[in-house]
Amino acid sequence: MKALIYNGPYDVQVKEMPDAKIEKSTDVLVRVTTTNICGSDLHMYEGRTSMETGRILGHENMGEVIEVGKAVERVKVGDMVCLPFNIGCGFCENCERGLSGFCLTANLGTAGAAYGFAGMGPYSGGQAELLRVPFGDYNCLVLPEDAKEKENDYVMLSDILPTGYHATELAGVKPGESVVIYGAGPVGLMATMSAFIKGASQVFVVDTHKDRLALAEKLGAIAIDDTGDAGVQKVLDLTDGKGADCGCECVGYQCCDKHGKEVPNLTMNNLVQTVKATGGIGVVGVFLPQDPGAKDDLAKEGKLAFDFGNFWFKGQKIATGQANVKHYNRNLAKLIHAGKAKPSAIISHELALTEAPGAYEKFDKREDGWTKVVLKPGN
């Protein structure tokens, strides 16, 4: 099968690899029809993680079931399925509580497993023609009859739509409230969509990329251009100096200032300033325990110079962590099926798998117009 391989920093390659296959009786084998490039993939692409060379990337995957293990009962050959990026067993303590992103079985010694991701287990990614799905009955979301017609919408259920929704859950968004979102990348845009689904009255989206801010405006948000470091004041001015009712961090540890210099604590400290006293902050941007590519010793250890004094004084709350996709994906699929959510609106490029190396380069450089890339292994 063709698959995208990580060779090292800034070096990915599509090459022939051994076909994925059923390895356990609980596995499902999927022919991948759509797989996305995620912003989280770029951390590995840039060499900012412990990702091993030779591994297949890709954790946002969808496709058609072509084989099932002998112990699989629910999922059938021919089903169109979307796969949550986090791999859960379905029976450990955390999975039983709906916390599939922190499964205690799929990646022994660590809470959480994922496809093609550093530190998240040995599982191959889905930027390939075939994908082995462990614990298939639990991890496959079987899609409705319009799966092929709305494939570019449903594939977003693998990660970014549930992750954006998770950000609003962690922040505690309620109908009628205002929300400030840092980051107009794919997850920030999905958090914007989710905030409006939940009834937010105002959504402020802060970023420095004008093309992405334009997408946020199309979704109904108030775009805040932070190029001149005036973003904090603009949010305060628009909220009578109080700040938004709650906020979402959708950038992570590689956030940058107006000069393009990485400042890992920037969005977190800006949220403390732009969320009101007693407001909630939801953090879904990736922050890692180690960052070997960081410029300073604190960041190398995954630590931040956090404005804890103001955070404490304002009585704010923070909730963090990756999305438990299975907790959200079934109901979000119903919104797509009913035409109430169209996450494909943010897709900028639909390419063949063979075009992935060039797409990684352009997406990593945040070139204008490169917002969300979907790959079609069958093309």
Side-chain angles (χ1 to χ4, degrees), residues 4-6 32 35-38 40-41 44 51 55-62 83-85 87 114-117 123-128 131 158-159 353 360 375:
L4 186 83
I5 305 302
Y6 174 73
V32 179
T35 177
N36 306 336
I37 300 177
C38 179
S40 299
D41 290 327
M44 292 173 286
M51 188 65 170
R55 290 192 60 189
I56 301 172
L57 295 174
H59 60 269
E60 298 190 8
N61 308 307
M62 174 180 166
L83 297 319
F85 76 90
I87 299 169
Y115 301 98
F117 206 93
Y123 305 99
S124 292
Q127 288 172 6
L131 178 67
S158 59
D159 183 353
L353 179 64
Y360 263 86
L375 304 171

Side-chain angles (χ1 to χ4, degrees), residues 177-181 202-204 235-236 238-248 271 273-280 314 316:
E177 291 190 333
S178 58
V179 188
V180 58
I181 295 171
Q202 289 182 307
V203 178
F204 310 106
V235 175
L236 292 174
L238 290 167
T239 56
D240 297 324
K242 297 176 182 178
D245 292 307
C246 54
C248 301
L271 277 160
Q273 293 186 70
T274 53
V275 170
K276 72 177 185 180
T278 73
K314 293 178 77 171
Q316 294 169 330

Side-chain angles (χ1 to χ4, degrees), residues 150-169:
K150 296 183 176 180
E151 185 158 340
N152 285 350
D153 292 303
Y154 284 120
V155 71
M156 302 305 175
L157 295 170
S158 59
D159 183 353
I160 63 167
L161 179 54
T163 295
Y165 195 90
H166 187 55
T168 65
E169 285 284 285

Side-chain angles (χ1 to χ4, degrees), residues 32-310:
V32 179
T33 54
T34 304
T35 177
N36 306 336
I37 300 177
C38 179
S40 299
D41 290 327
L42 300 181
H43 303 313
M44 292 173 286
Y45 177 72
E46 296 173 4
R48 299 292 290 269
T49 70
S50 58
M51 188 65 170
E52 305 93 340
T53 58
R55 290 192 60 189
I56 301 172
L57 295 174
H59 60 269
E60 298 190 8
N61 308 307
M62 174 180 166
E64 181 181 358
V65 175
I66 59 172
E67 186 180 351
V68 298
K70 293 180 179 179
V72 175
E73 296 184 357
R74 183 179 63 88
V75 179
K76 308 299 181 187
V77 171
D79 284 345
M80 290 296 292
V81 295
C82 187
L83 297 319
F85 76 90
N86 21 55
I87 299 169
C89 67
F91 52 78
C92 74
E93 179 182 354
N94 283 348
C95 284
E96 285 185 344
R97 294 166 57 207
L99 304 175
S100 58
F102 302 89
C103 177
L104 300 170
T105 302
N107 186 16
L108 292 177
T110 302
Y115 301 98
F117 206 93
M120 300 294 280
Y123 305 99
S124 292
Q127 288 172 6
E129 293 179 315
L130 299 171
L131 178 67
R132 171 194 166 225
V133 180
F135 307 106
D137 268 335
Y138 182 70
N139 287 304
C140 290
L141 175 68
V142 178
L143 298 168
E145 63 277 4
D146 60 353
K148 293 182 179 179
E149 174 191 346
K150 296 183 176 180
E151 185 158 340
N152 285 350
D153 292 303
Y154 284 120
V155 71
M156 302 305 175
L157 295 170
S158 59
D159 183 353
I160 63 167
L161 179 54
T163 295
Y165 195 90
H166 187 55
T168 65
E169 285 284 285
L170 295 177
V173 177
K174 295 182 177 62
E177 291 190 333
S178 58
V179 188
V180 58
I181 295 171
Y182 277 83
V187 170
L189 293 171
M190 292 297 95
T192 301
M193 184 178 293
S194 299
F196 283 122
I197 287 171
K198 298 182 76 170
S201 59
Q202 289 182 307
V203 178
F204 310 106
V205 178
V206 185
D207 205 304
T208 59
H209 295 273
K210 291 179 172 56
D211 58 328
R212 296 183 172 193
L213 288 171
L215 278 174
E217 286 186 323
K218 286 184 179 179
L219 294 177
I222 298 169
I224 307 289
D225 190 339
D226 202 23
T227 305
D229 279 351
V232 168
Q233 191 58 50
K234 289 176 183 175
V235 175
L236 292 174
D237 289 344
L238 290 167
T239 56
D240 297 324
K242 297 176 182 178
D245 292 307
C246 54
C248 301
E249 204 290 334
C250 299
V251 183
Y253 71 104
Q254 286 186 253
C255 55
C256 297
D257 65 11
K258 64 178 179 179
H259 303 295
K261 177 185 175 183
E262 283 190 18
V263 184
N265 62 351
L266 182 65
T267 51
M268 292 297 296
N269 287 340
N270 284 351
L271 277 160
V272 171
Q273 293 186 70
T274 53
V275 170
K276 72 177 185 180
T278 73
I281 298 170
V283 183
V284 296
V286 173
F287 289 87
L288 296 177
Q290 295 90 30
D291 177 12
K295 301 296 184 183
D296 64 82
D297 291 338
L298 195 65
K300 284 181 180 178
E301 296 179 1
K303 298 177 181 177
L304 298 176
F306 181 57
D307 190 5
F308 192 80
N310 278 333

